[in-house]
Amino acid sequence: MSLASYQTARQALITEDRSLRLDSQSQYLDPLGPTESVQKADAIVRKIRATEAESVWSKETERIPHIFPGMEFLTAKETIQSTELFKWVRKLPKGALLHAHMDATCDAEFLLRTALEEPQMHVRASVRIDRETVGSTLPGFRAMPVDFPASPYQSVTSPDYEGDAWIKISSARDDFSTELGGAEGFDKWVIAAMRIDPEEAYVKYNTSKKIWTKFGSAFIVAWGLLEFEPTFRKYVRQFLLTSIEDGISYVEMRTSFFNKTIIRSDGANDFSTAEQVKLIGEVIEEVREEINSQGRGDEFVGAKIIYITIRSLSFEELEWYLNDCLSLKQQFPDLIAGFDLVGQEDTGVPLLDYLPKLLEFQDKCREAGLSIPFIFHAGETLGDGDRIDDNLYDAILLGTRRIGHGVSLVKHPHLMKLCRERKIAIEVCPISNEILRFTSSMPAHPLPVMLNHGLTVALSSDDPAVFGNLGLSYDYFQVLVSSEVTGLITLGVLARESLLISELEKEQKEQAVAKWDRRWQAFLKEIIQAYEQ
């Protein structure tokens, strides 16, 4: 064989190997616009990536002695923010965010600031907070009625403080011990309880099972602040606005109704699930009107709710939530997009155990003429062939519209084939999977396997308040720098497809995609002009 013949055969083999990828098929490439512009922008991004692979990601420092593109996010975050590539990823129109837990989508500092504005918000600790207990004791929060008796203690650091006594958050913060940093020390204590830091992720809780200890506690702390009607309203609004600023035009927020009620503004703990959905709908419309009034209508399509509860319920408890979801769909048909069970999959109840109730729910939906698809978490595990890994079989048999995470899916070639044929999209959460230790870094993530098998993937952020990956830019960046195959074209295809695999109605999808197409063309023009100049 001549050298030329070998090179031809080699290229043909590579092309065939990648032929299932969406970014290799004309039906996905053609909608991205004129080939010359798309390829020119893609080449610019690849050049920036290659340059920074040398100038940024090969320069070891005292702080990061083992640096590489796609490395552990919490260690690399500051470096990522300093790059030219991240600047352009931030500007990229990203389509839909389809996997994000609403109660972990806004920065922890914002949640604390918002809570501090509410005079009814109180804090407590199980023991007096001092140098020995501040690092191991979680704050607890709750909004109290206006006439709640004043506490005899000034703060949780007061010498005479007795554990579990409620104190107004403003007083507790103002009088927090100066030895622990005063008000700033209070903020640090609270925010640290709602975030995972590098030491926790990569040293203290460095396995997928251990890290859930910290992960779960972060939610418990945040819930106390969030489950108060005024805070909840501001939080939903902030989530939508920050998503829009990051180039996200549509979201399907996984909204937890596990506690059934939250506390209303007068302190009564009876703000129902229906009232919560109504509130979210009101905020969506307020944000839409605000964005439209600014002449930015292409930047926001809207939002829907995926009803979630935890995967550790009894049959009777699950039935209550399924019935509540059905009732909410009847009341708010344009807002409820689907149903899911969440929580640590490795320790949760397998879908198979819930099968009778889930099948019954589908029958009830059919009888009521309602469409409430399952959009299940499944395969968020390192298991292979155990009962948790088997959730993938049941999710698919139950007709799940998409699969949340699907880390273990790549161990199942036939299931990947079914997902490709049935257009079951995989909601991949790169940074979440890495921090929760389902992969050591992005180069080791199973995402390329999914893409190379032709699966439709929706890049998602999962719980950015806990991980610090607000929006979608960080996840997009980590994917982009971790693969020489993936480029701007790949991200464009994934972003556009995310709108088409959403639970928007057909006409809404067409409008959403048309808006995205205009923003995509403007983005191509901007990056090409910037580098031609």
Side-chain angles (χ1 to χ4, degrees), residues 255-272:
T255 305
S256 175
F257 297 98
F258 172 64
N259 287 338
K260 299 181 181 178
T261 60
I262 65 173
I263 299 170
R264 62 177 72 246
S265 56
D266 64 6
N269 188 9
D270 61 359
F271 197 74
S272 69

Side-chain angles (χ1 to χ4, degrees), residues 17-28:
D17 185 48
R18 298 174 183 172
S19 63
L20 292 177
R21 292 176 60 99
L22 303 193
D23 56 8
S24 294
Q25 301 178 41
S26 60
Q27 69 186 90
Y28 300 102

